[in-house]
Amino acid sequence: MSLTVGIYLFDEVEVLDFAGPFEVFSTASRVHARLYPDMPKPFYVITIAPEARTVVTRGGLRVEPDYAIGSHPSLDILIIPGGVVTAQLDDQRVIDWIAAHAARDSKITASVCTGAFLLSKAGLLRGKSATTHWEDIADLRAMFPDVKVQDNQRWVDSGQVITSAGISAGIDMSLYLVSRLTTHELAIRTARQMEYDWQDTNI
């Protein structure tokens, strides 16, 4: 059975924060299909936004989400990318949605870059180790003193919650998730298919 990966989109989201994980999980499924054509693909990737409308990213790219909050299928993995998250932090509907799906549906909730602020606001990182973009480490510590913020980590695995540093680190974290949820071989083959030099350690 395929694992459903939901990637959250919002205005001012950082493009590679969501596009990197999207590419990893979709490529892993393509590579897996070539290796095992009679087996279900390991991942089914969808995008979710606050409303069913075009999202304008931080760089101006316009993206059409697959679903809106409240109308998407059940998720096994929820990925919260970063970008300019100020408005998202102030939207209690979004915070409640993240918290509810982490508690009810998702096997794993993960963040890229400043997405860690949203996980923290939702209470998912309380007492846990986490990381974010190097520029935002001090702010994360100041805003959420109950989070054990880690420097110089590509990603931090705290069990059901995983955080990564900025932008390209989300690709490394996603490949790690492929390895954790399927096989290390598939992760390596996925990175090779992407012609990506995977840093398969978290430093």
Side-chain angles (χ1 to χ4, degrees):
M1 180 180 293
S2 299
L3 297 173
T4 300
V5 181
I7 301 177
Y8 182 55
L9 303 180
F10 52 92
D11 288 333
E12 295 293 322
V13 66
E14 187 75 48
V15 172
L16 197 58
D17 280 14
F18 76 84
F22 188 100
E23 187 70 15
V24 168
F25 291 111
S26 58
T27 299
S29 285
R30 292 202 309 273
V31 171
H32 185 273
R34 288 204 300 266
L35 293 171
Y36 310 104
D38 297 327
M39 294 180 62
K41 63 183 182 180
F43 304 106
Y44 169 61
V45 189
I46 62 173
T47 55
I48 305 164
E51 293 89 25
R53 62 165 179 81
T54 301
V55 169
V56 183
T57 72
R58 193 174 190 181
L61 177 69
R62 294 176 175 270
V63 184
E64 293 292 334
D66 296 314
Y67 297 94
I69 288 177
S71 67
H72 58 82
S74 178
L75 306 176
D76 297 295
I77 303 161
L78 174 60
I79 296 181
I80 307 296
V84 181
V85 297
T86 307
Q88 303 303 307
L89 285 170
D90 291 336
D91 191 335
Q92 193 60 45
R93 176 187 53 156
V94 171
I95 300 305
D96 290 345
W97 171 73
I98 292 170
H101 279 274
R104 184 177 67 241
D105 292 332
S106 295
K107 292 179 172 63
I108 290 173
T109 306
S111 67
V112 182
C113 194
T114 52
F117 286 76
L118 298 180
L119 299 195
S120 297
K121 185 73 177 287
L124 304 187
L125 296 178
R126 190 174 297 119
K128 293 183 170 62
S129 295
T131 195
T132 187
H133 191 285
W134 61 269
E135 280 188 323
D136 301 290
I137 289 284
D139 285 343
L140 188 61
R141 283 190 176 127
M143 289 177 65
F144 302 100
D146 55 353
V147 178
K148 301 173 184 176
V149 182
Q150 305 293 308
D151 295 285
N152 302 314
Q153 301 286 302
R154 295 294 285 175
W155 70 85
V156 174
D157 184 344
S158 292
Q160 287 185 295
V161 182
I162 301 174
T163 55
S164 78
I167 310 180
S168 67
I171 298 175
D172 292 323
M173 177 190 72
S174 298
L175 286 164
Y176 166 73
L177 284 172
V178 170
S179 175
R180 175 176 151 176
L181 296 169
T182 61
T183 66
H184 191 64
E185 178 190 7
L186 180 59
I188 291 172
R189 287 177 177 267
T190 299
R192 178 170 173 75
Q193 181 66 31
M194 294 172 59
E195 299 223 36
Y196 182 72
D197 185 13
W198 179 30
Q199 299 189 43
D200 61 351
T201 60
N202 66 348
I203 57 174

